[in-house]
Amino acid sequence: MIPPRSDGGTTNQWTPGGNFDHLYERVMTRIEGDRVFLNAPLMSSFDQRYGGGTIFRYTFPRIENVGIENIRGVSDFTSPTDEAHANTFIELQAVQDAWVRNVTGRHFIYATVHATSRSMRVTVDDAKSLDPVSIITGAQRYPFTIDGQFVLMRNLYSEDGRHDFVNNSSWRNRGPNVFLAGVAVNSHSSTGPHQRWSSGTLYDTITTDNMIEARNPWNFGSGHGWGGAGMYFWNATA
């Protein structure tokens, strides 16, 4: 039970019935009796007392084998708190086996690179987020966001972000994912899983001048509850 907010704002309770399903995309490698073997582990346990799990075949069209390299994006703005300009520089939607390399985003409201929940098997290497322009609250300044599966983001640099290296999907970020070798300067909030049971991310060699955390913020935001599970922090400075 997430307690109500003291300011009277909306608190969304965690409810059964599909809202918290974890949809893992895997390849079935073999079957032995009543045992099913997959090509990669699942990032949360499946307890029959709480509904267990279901395996089903599906198709989902994605573009694949695509890359974005050696590019710089700058968003124009009219004031230091302007909210009416570009939100995200590179957003990876419905893509697999893709890469982003040697990119810089400047002045964007939300992110330099956002791997959304529909992205899979993506590598981001050598990326910078500089001088974001927005108010410093809410869904702003999440420079490097992983919401997909099998995503590696490495060699990252962020200035003046909020949640600089973050799992943030309200649709249950499932992992496994990795942030490797990231530096955040003048960070305005924490690095780590942000809301609603993100799972299975390694934060390796991350340095920030704010916090690194995986916790239950209770009714923060719209009622986030437990931010992350199965998270690993290694060789980090905060």
Side-chain angles (χ1 to χ4, degrees):
M1 182 71 177
I2 299 175
R5 289 172 46 156
S6 60
D7 62 2
T10 301
T11 299
N12 298 316
Q13 299 294 336
W14 291 19
T15 57
N19 287 335
F20 279 82
D21 289 352
H22 284 238
L23 302 178
Y24 292 95
E25 299 190 47
R26 298 293 187 266
V27 175
M28 187 185 301
T29 57
R30 70 183 191 275
I31 299 173
E32 294 181 3
D34 60 356
R35 302 175 68 197
V36 175
F37 293 81
L38 306 176
N39 69 326
L42 305 178
M43 298 295 102
S44 291
S45 63
F46 286 74
D47 193 317
Q48 191 63 42
R49 292 177 298 170
Y50 305 117
T54 302
I55 295 176
F56 58 92
R57 186 175 182 177
Y58 75 99
T59 58
F60 181 77
R62 288 183 169 96
I63 60 173
E64 58 184 345
N65 300 321
V66 294
I68 301 171
E69 295 186 338
N70 306 324
I71 190 170
R72 177 184 178 91
V74 180
S75 177
D76 292 335
F77 60 95
T78 59
S79 75
T81 57
D82 183 12
E83 297 280 295
H85 64 106
N87 194 60
T88 296
F89 181 31
I90 298 170
E91 184 169 276
L92 300 160
Q93 282 272 14
V95 63
Q96 66 185 20
D97 301 319
W99 70 93
V100 176
R101 182 163 49 208
N102 189 26
V103 300
T104 299
R106 192 179 189 96
H107 304 324
F108 290 89
I109 293 173
Y110 183 70
T112 287
V113 184
H114 179 194
T116 73
S117 59
R118 304 281 186 165
S119 62
M120 185 166 67
R121 299 193 301 270
V122 172
T123 296
V124 178
D125 188 10
D126 190 12
K128 298 180 179 66
S129 172
L130 305 176
D131 305 318
V133 174
S134 70
I135 59 174
I136 306 175
T137 188
Q140 284 89 351
R141 306 197 187 198
Y142 293 59
F144 298 101
T145 303
I146 296 178
D147 294 333
Q149 301 177 60
F150 304 100
V151 177
L152 165 64
M153 291 193 182
R154 66 184 183 183
N155 299 324
L156 310 174
Y157 179 79
S158 173
E159 289 181 354
D160 289 304
R162 287 184 63 244
H163 301 293
D164 299 88
F165 313 119
V166 65
N167 307 110
N168 189 49
S169 177
S170 59
W171 294 101
R172 308 326 128 229
N173 175 259
R174 285 90 58 186
N177 296 304
V178 178
F179 287 101
L180 172 63
V183 176
V185 176
N186 196 30
S187 177
H188 296 276
S189 193
S190 61
T191 275
H194 186 50
Q195 59 170 317
R196 294 177 172 84
W197 205 264
S198 294
S199 57
T201 295
L202 166 64
Y203 290 81
D204 187 343
T205 319
I206 299 297
T207 299
T208 173
D209 51 15
N210 210 299
M211 298 180 292
I212 297 175
E213 61 179 5
R215 69 184 180 110
N216 185 351
W218 298 102
N219 55 21
F220 284 19
S222 57
H224 291 168
W226 280 105
M231 296 288 168
Y232 200 93
F233 302 94
W234 175 259
N235 196 30
T237 302

